[in-house]
């Protein structure tokens, strides 16, 4: 397993048509078996809430896709990865998959390819924190909360909520993409 090095990751935001083609090519060719999947939403209500950003990542690469602008792109990526029998990993994955199912109509075709690091953490140590950042600081990267802290500061300064923070704000989409990469390392 590769050690997490934040300076050695390649990340992108689908912001143009060229980015969309590059993202889909990556999805079609990514050699890694394990794909981190995460979502950013406007809150906790998966029936009425908005799916704002969907992120995909491996040990060293990741992408963020603004869902409201590119719903078909997200669905196509999920279908391709599922068809390629890639394994998905997320943290508190039930939440993410509920949003994805409600908005995209997609669920994994084979549940043996789905892993949740929060559930695994419960098995590994039932009395410890199950928070992704806490686990990641201990097992993956001592500075795992850096992106979260930068985003909190930007949201405070911009007077934004999870529903109003601009999807192109670097601290927002980078935070989201890094979560997928860190989760793959955590797994």
């Amino acid at each position: 397993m590769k050690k997490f090095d934040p300076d050695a990751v390649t990340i992108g935001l689908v912001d143009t048509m060229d980015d969309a083609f590059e993202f889909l090519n990556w999805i079609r060719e990514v050699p890694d078996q394990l794909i981190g999947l995460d979502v950013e939403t406007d809150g906790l209500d998966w029936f009425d809430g908005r799916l704002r950003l969907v992120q995909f990542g491996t040990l060293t690469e990741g992408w963020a896709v603004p869902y409201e602008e590119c719903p078909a792109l997200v669905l196509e990526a999920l279908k391709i990865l599922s068809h390629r029998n890639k394994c998905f990993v997320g943290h508190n994955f039930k939440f993410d998959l509920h949003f994805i199912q409600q908005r995209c109509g997609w669920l994994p075709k084979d549940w043996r390819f789905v892993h949740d690091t929060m559930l695994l953490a419960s098995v590994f140590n039932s009395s410890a924190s199950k928070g992704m950042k806490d686990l990641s600081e201990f097992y993956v990267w001592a500075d795992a909360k850096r992106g979260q802290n930068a985003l909190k500061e930007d949201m405070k300064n911009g007077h934004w909520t999870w529903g109003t923070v601009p999807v192109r704000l670097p601290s927002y989409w980078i935070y989201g993409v890094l979560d997928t990469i860190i989760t793959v390392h955590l797994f």
Side-chain angles (χ1 to χ4, degrees), residues 98-146:
H98 275 300
F99 258 99
I100 289 170
Q101 180 185 22
Q102 288 295 315
R103 299 301 166 271
C104 301
W106 180 88
L107 280 176
K109 68 178 184 176
D110 191 336
W111 288 94
R112 68 188 164 141
F113 295 128
V114 177
H115 307 287
D116 189 327
T117 53
M118 187 172 82
L119 297 177
L120 292 171
S122 295
V123 172
F124 188 70
N125 185 347
S126 62
S127 63
S129 170
K130 306 307 175 284
M132 195 274 261
K133 297 296 191 296
D134 292 335
L135 291 164
S136 298
E137 276 187 329
F138 186 77
Y139 292 108
V140 177
W141 180 38
D143 209 10
K145 291 183 182 176
R146 181 193 311 172

Side-chain angles (χ1 to χ4, degrees), residues 20-30 84:
F21 285 117
E22 187 178 343
F23 166 70
L24 273 182
N25 284 335
W26 178 74
I27 289 292
R28 287 185 187 106
E29 298 171 7
V30 64
R84 293 184 66 204

Side-chain angles (χ1 to χ4, degrees), residues 51-111:
L51 180 55
R52 305 201 60 230
L53 202 61
V54 180
Q55 304 88 243
F56 301 81
T58 65
L59 287 170
T60 59
E61 300 176 285
W63 283 90
V65 182
Y67 179 76
E68 293 171 313
E69 298 167 25
C70 307
L73 183 64
V74 169
L75 181 58
E76 183 65 15
L78 292 167
K79 286 179 178 179
I80 291 168
L81 291 169
S82 187
H83 179 74
R84 293 184 66 204
N85 292 324
K86 296 296 183 178
C87 292
F88 294 96
V89 64
H91 195 83
N92 191 17
F93 215 16
K94 179 181 177 181
F95 175 84
D96 301 79
L97 289 176
H98 275 300
F99 258 99
I100 289 170
Q101 180 185 22
Q102 288 295 315
R103 299 301 166 271
C104 301
W106 180 88
L107 280 176
K109 68 178 184 176
D110 191 336
W111 288 94

